[in-house]
């Protein structure tokens, strides 16, 4: 009852109906929980159920209209058209391609994006350095993020902290993505060096990272109270800084 089948040459093929997932031989109802109820799929399923709930009322109203001779033919035709449009909308709420996009996932990288800045420089010691918007493809994937740039740290016994945030929140699963850059006392040596901030994330304190637009930002902080931190190009030479986002299937 939860699948539709069609005959083929010497065999047959089946696929799950809307609201169910599986290989056509075994179909299970899509269950929406508190953790995933805001996902695109669950919102579509809930919308479909709301549409379905008004069909009996429309059918009853149409029956009442048809049983009263004093109602005009025009009103009956209009109501019939509205009922037909509702039924058409139900069939389009959750297409098989949308179900596959949300529930099926292979292995390795499924999507990625590179955000470069050439000869960019920022002398902030606190706050957001760079922010990009990544369109996450699926709910059940994990993101790998990387920030590459040249860092400069000056001042005796000073340090800076660099971290990633997702929609303004640090990663909580599996762990925060953060590094520290420190300079000890004493003169001599270079203050400039290429550095990378990278890690994996699938959730913040607000919950799992959902599909759709996601703000990914790099922040700097000075837990050692200052010290002239500069990120990117400084003095001469060329520097390409960038954020790389990769989406992995678990």
């Amino acid at each position: 009852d939860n699948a539709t089948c069609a005959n083929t040459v010497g065999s047959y093929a089946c696929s799950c109906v809307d609201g169910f997932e599986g290989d056509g031989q075994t179909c299970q109802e899509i269950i929406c929980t508190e953790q995933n109820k805001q996902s695109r799929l669950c919102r579509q399923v809930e919308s479909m159920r709301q549409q379905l709930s008004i069909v009996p009322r429309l059918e009853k109203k149409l029956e009442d209209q048809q049983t009263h001779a004093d109602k005009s033919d025009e009103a009956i035709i209009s109501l019939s058209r509205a009922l037909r449009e509702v039924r058409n909308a139900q069939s389009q709420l959750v297409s098989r391609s949308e179900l596959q996009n949300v529930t099926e996932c292979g292995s390795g990288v499924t999507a990625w994006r590179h955000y470069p800045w050439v000869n960019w420089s920022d002398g902030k010691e606190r706050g957001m350095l760079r922010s990009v918007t990544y369109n996450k493809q699926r709910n059940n994937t994990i993101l790998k993020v990387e920030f590459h740039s040249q860092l400069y740290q000056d001042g005796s016994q000073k340090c800076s902290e660099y971290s990633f945030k997702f929609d303004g929140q640090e990663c909580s699963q599996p762990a925060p993505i953060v590094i520290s850059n420190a300079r000890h006392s004493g003169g001599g040596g270079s203050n400039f060096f290429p550095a990378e901030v990278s890690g994996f994330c699938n959730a913040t304190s607000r919950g799992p990272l959902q599909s759709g637009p996601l703000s990914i930002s790099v922040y700097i902080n000075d837990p050692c109270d200052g010290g002239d931190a500069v990120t990117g190009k400084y003095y001469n030479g060329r520097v390409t800084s960038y954020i790389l986002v990769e989406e992995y299937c678990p």
Side-chain angles (χ1 to χ4, degrees):
D1 295 336
N2 300 329
T4 57
C5 300
N7 291 325
T8 60
V9 178
S11 183
Y12 63 92
C14 298
S15 61
C16 299
V17 299
D18 291 343
F20 292 79
E21 59 180 345
D23 58 6
Q25 301 297 321
T26 302
C27 298
Q28 296 180 339
E29 183 179 6
I30 297 171
I31 304 299
C32 296
T33 65
E34 285 297 321
Q35 288 72 28
N36 65 0
K37 67 179 182 179
Q38 296 301 322
S39 68
R40 176 176 53 184
L41 178 59
C42 284
R43 291 198 301 269
Q44 290 173 329
V45 171
E46 179 60 27
S47 178
M48 179 176 65
R49 288 173 177 164
Q50 292 176 1
Q51 292 279 9
L52 283 170
S53 68
I54 69 173
V55 171
R57 296 198 299 271
L58 288 174
E59 290 177 333
K60 181 63 170 60
K61 188 173 181 180
L62 178 60
E63 182 181 350
D64 293 343
Q65 291 277 23
Q66 292 172 335
T67 57
H68 292 80
D70 59 339
K71 299 298 182 181
S72 67
D73 291 340
E74 182 179 350
I76 294 175
I77 292 173
S78 176
L79 188 57
S80 298
R81 184 183 300 112
L83 180 59
R84 184 169 60 252
E85 291 176 353
V86 169
R87 285 173 171 163
N88 289 338
Q90 292 168 3
S91 65
Q92 299 172 3
L93 281 173
V94 184
S95 67
R96 294 309 303 166
S97 61
E98 287 293 324
L99 286 174
Q100 290 175 353
N101 182 50
V102 175
T103 61
E104 295 181 6
C105 197
S107 60
V109 179
T110 63
W112 63 275
R113 189 166 179 186
H114 181 244
Y115 306 84
W117 300 278
V118 178
N119 292 337
W120 160 72
S121 179
D122 196 317
K124 289 181 181 176
E125 296 178 9
R126 298 182 184 89
M128 185 177 67
L129 290 173
R130 277 293 184 177
S131 182
V132 299
T133 299
Y134 175 74
N135 189 30
K136 193 169 184 287
Q137 301 299 304
R138 294 176 172 85
N139 293 323
N140 60 337
T141 51
I142 184 170
L143 294 184
K144 180 183 180 183
V145 291
E146 299 179 9
F147 172 62
H148 293 256
S149 189
Q150 176 175 265
L151 305 184
Y152 168 84
Q153 185 71 51
D154 199 4
S156 176
Q157 297 183 349
K158 300 298 183 179
C159 67
S160 296
E161 183 181 271
Y162 298 82
S163 62
F164 269 102
K165 291 186 179 181
F166 303 83
D167 283 340
Q169 302 294 313
E170 282 197 347
C171 183
S172 61
Q173 294 292 333
I177 304 173
V178 58
I179 68 167
S180 292
N181 168 32
R183 177 167 174 78
H184 298 289
S185 60
S190 174
N191 298 325
F192 309 92
F193 58 94
E196 171 187 332
V197 187
S198 64
F200 289 87
C201 186
N202 59 8
T204 67
S205 59
R206 293 177 179 173
L209 301 180
Q210 301 293 327
S211 61
L214 177 67
S215 174
I216 301 176
S217 307
V218 178
Y219 279 76
I220 183 173
N221 190 22
D222 62 339
C224 300
D225 191 22
D228 291 337
V230 176
T231 307
K233 178 179 171 63
Y234 198 72
Y235 292 135
N236 297 321
R238 296 181 299 168
V239 175
T240 297
S241 305
Y242 64 87
I243 291 176
L244 177 65
V245 183
E246 295 177 314
E247 189 168 347
Y248 282 80
C249 284

